[in-house]
Amino acid sequence: MKLAVVGGGSTYTPELIDGFARLRDTLPIEELVLIDPAAERLELIGGLARRIFARQGHPGLITTTSDLDAGVDGADAVLLQLRVGGQAARLQDETWPLECGCVGQETTGAGGLAKALRTVPVVLGIAERVRRANPDAWIIDFTNPVGIVTRALLQAGHKAVGLCNVAIGLQRKFAALLDLAPADIHLDHVGLNHLTWELGVRRGGPGGEDLLPRLLAEHGDAVAADLRLPRAVLDRLGVVPSYYLRYFYAHDEVVRELATKPSRAAEVAAMERELLALYGDPALDEKPALLAKRGGAFYSEAAVDLAASLLGDGGPAVQVVNTLNNGTLPFLPDDAVVEVQARVDGSGPVPLAVPRPDPLHAGLIAHVTAYEDLALDAALRGGRDRVFRALLAHPLVGQFDRAEGLTDRLLAHNKEHLAWA
């Protein structure tokens, strides 16, 4: 089995490598190719990746290359984890929206739109080259905004599945709080990427005993603290929202916070410099503890499980993925991309039936889906008016003057990445 990772020079990659090494019986990789144009970073991370495999006794071959076509040739699956514009672009995404009184964040709001505009054309170009090299390869997208990027890939006819670590992180946390094994916890995880709610926490699988009332009653304070939301909000909702819902439920509070502290992008950039220095140590042969602060917790386990289901010869497995709606949420179009539990095998994911969301959640899901329609149109066809329409449609913007100001700033800060601008 051959896997390729586009964006293999990411500081995330050792997390992925560690998962591949530990879970080699689940996903028996014979060759792993790390692909990245940043040769110096790639060499550092490739060396650490080989040492991690060696320490854990993994026999697989790890190679590095900046040649995309050569790297993906013959790959059974290609993982995408790239960041167009790097941390410098992320820093802009997190700062200029604040000038208009809006959340500055890399995956939602105006910053998320900027990231989508930069990313979708690049990802589609990569996917076309993967299809030419090996039309049977699966593309697993971890590149944000995952929902929009995955929809672009599926709309273009690629064999693609979107992946996010939010659900597996909540599953692991809930299991620990309830003193259960993670495999015993099934989430009724419903919504869009970075816009989800846990409508049930079930013991043993779909249809099992719902432990959500117990979780909220006994551990509501801990859950609320992780989400940075008041406990009273969880009690009134009766469900557990993704921590990204704080940008919606406490938007003005978040804007005030972001205006008075260093950006997450600046923190991550400093952390990455420290990580790269660690990765260059020839004695290091395991992922450093600092990597846990970088984000992406349990990404490797989710990626291994998904790739194993898509490529293995075993039975189907149930996992949270981003895939076509196809009637799963009846108030959305079939070609919308939703994030839900799905049964996954070699033919791809098939969403499970999910509880119908309360109108409180369904309305926001439908609203953001409409924004994603317009965002994808802007990413594919360009044009100032399309950018403005997408921003006006976003529930975190929604006002004419703000949308105008944000459009001007988005275009000014992203000219080098948008050919049409």
Side-chain angles (χ1 to χ4, degrees):
M1 181 185 297
K2 176 180 177 180
L3 264 65
V5 180
V6 178
S10 168
T11 52
Y12 272 134
T13 299
E15 164 71 25
L16 191 62
I17 300 299
D18 177 73
F20 288 159
R22 288 185 294 101
L23 303 172
R24 56 186 175 273
D25 292 338
T26 302
L27 188 68
I29 298 171
E30 297 168 299
E31 181 179 0
L32 177 65
V33 185
L34 306 181
I35 306 167
D36 203 291
E40 186 174 348
R41 286 173 62 119
L42 188 60
E43 191 54 38
L44 283 177
I45 290 167
L48 174 57
R50 295 184 190 98
R51 296 193 297 273
I52 291 173
F53 264 32
R55 174 180 175 141
Q56 300 199 32
H58 195 299
L61 172 68
I62 296 179
T63 60
T64 61
T65 182
S66 59
D67 186 333
L68 176 68
D69 296 317
V72 302
D73 186 37
D76 297 289
V78 178
L79 279 70
L80 304 181
Q81 55 170 38
L82 58 149
R83 182 184 294 280
V84 179
Q87 292 298 332
R90 176 179 182 171
L91 179 60
Q92 293 179 351
D93 294 343
E94 293 182 354
T95 51
W96 54 261
L98 297 174
E99 297 171 7
C100 296
C102 292
V103 157
Q105 212 278 331
E106 63 159 345
T107 65
T108 192
L113 176 60
K115 193 172 197 301
L117 297 178
R118 294 192 303 268
T119 304
V120 166
V122 173
V123 166
L124 290 178
I126 292 169
E128 285 300 329
R129 292 166 71 176
V130 171
R131 180 153 53 189
R132 288 197 298 270
N134 183 7
D136 294 326
W138 279 101
I139 295 175
I140 299 174
D141 178 59
F142 192 66
T143 297
N144 281 319
V146 168
I148 294 173
V149 172
T150 302
R151 185 168 181 179
L153 288 165
L154 292 170
Q155 186 171 292
H158 297 288
K159 292 177 62 177
V161 185
L163 178 65
C164 182
N165 67 320
V166 168
I168 192 172
L170 288 173
Q171 180 207 39
R172 299 302 173 87
K173 179 162 291 293
F174 296 167
L177 290 171
L178 295 167
D179 196 23
L180 294 170
D184 291 334
I185 295 292
H186 172 92
L187 301 179
D188 287 339
H189 182 92
V190 179
L192 312 177
N193 180 240
H194 290 185
L195 193 86
T196 51
W197 294 261
E198 310 311 322
L199 304 185
V201 177
R202 301 192 178 276
R203 187 199 300 265
E209 177 191 4
D210 187 7
L211 303 178
L212 179 58
R214 174 186 157 194
L215 177 74
L216 292 176
E218 298 179 4
H219 306 286
D221 288 342
V223 175
D226 277 349
L227 302 175
R228 300 188 63 204
L229 289 171
R231 165 71 186 269
V233 171
L234 296 192
D235 291 338
R236 293 182 70 179
L237 292 176
V239 300
V240 178
S242 158
Y243 56 85
Y244 284 94
L245 265 297
R246 184 169 185 262
Y247 295 114
F248 294 81
Y249 292 161
H251 175 272
D252 293 352
E253 178 183 347
V254 173
V255 168
R256 289 191 294 271
E257 289 177 2
L258 294 175
T260 58
K261 69 176 187 177
S263 71
R264 174 63 177 166
E267 294 175 355
V268 169
M271 201 180 305
E272 287 198 332
R273 289 190 292 271
E274 190 174 348
L275 284 169
L276 289 170
L278 292 172
Y279 295 167
D281 180 357
L284 184 68
D285 57 4
E286 60 184 347
K287 65 178 183 179
L290 178 62
L291 187 56
K293 297 181 181 180
R294 171 67 180 81
F298 307 114
Y299 163 38
S300 59
E301 285 90 339
V304 166
D305 288 345
L306 179 54
S309 297
L310 293 170
L311 303 176
D313 54 9
V318 173
Q319 290 150 16
V320 172
V321 297
N322 285 261
T323 191
L324 290 173
N325 179 47
N326 283 336
T328 307
L329 298 179
F331 53 89
L332 297 184
D334 285 346
D335 65 350
V337 165
V338 295
E339 186 173 289
V340 294
Q341 294 276 9
R343 198 168 299 278
V344 185
D345 59 18
S347 61
V350 177
L352 302 180
V354 298
R356 186 178 180 92
D358 183 277
L360 178 63
H361 318 314
L364 188 52
I365 292 170
H367 193 162
V368 175
T369 297
Y371 151 75
E372 291 188 347
D373 290 346
L374 295 169
L376 183 54
D377 184 47
L380 293 174
R381 297 201 289 163
R384 187 188 188 284
D385 189 57
R386 292 188 181 92
V387 173
F388 169 79
R389 283 165 53 81
L391 286 167
L392 188 61
H394 200 293
L396 297 183
V397 181
Q399 297 178 53
F400 182 89
D401 290 346
R402 280 187 172 180
E404 286 282 17
L406 290 167
T407 300
D408 291 339
R409 288 166 173 78
L410 186 156
L411 296 179
H413 284 283
N414 288 275
K415 283 184 178 179
E416 64 180 297
H417 302 294
L418 306 177
W420 50 267

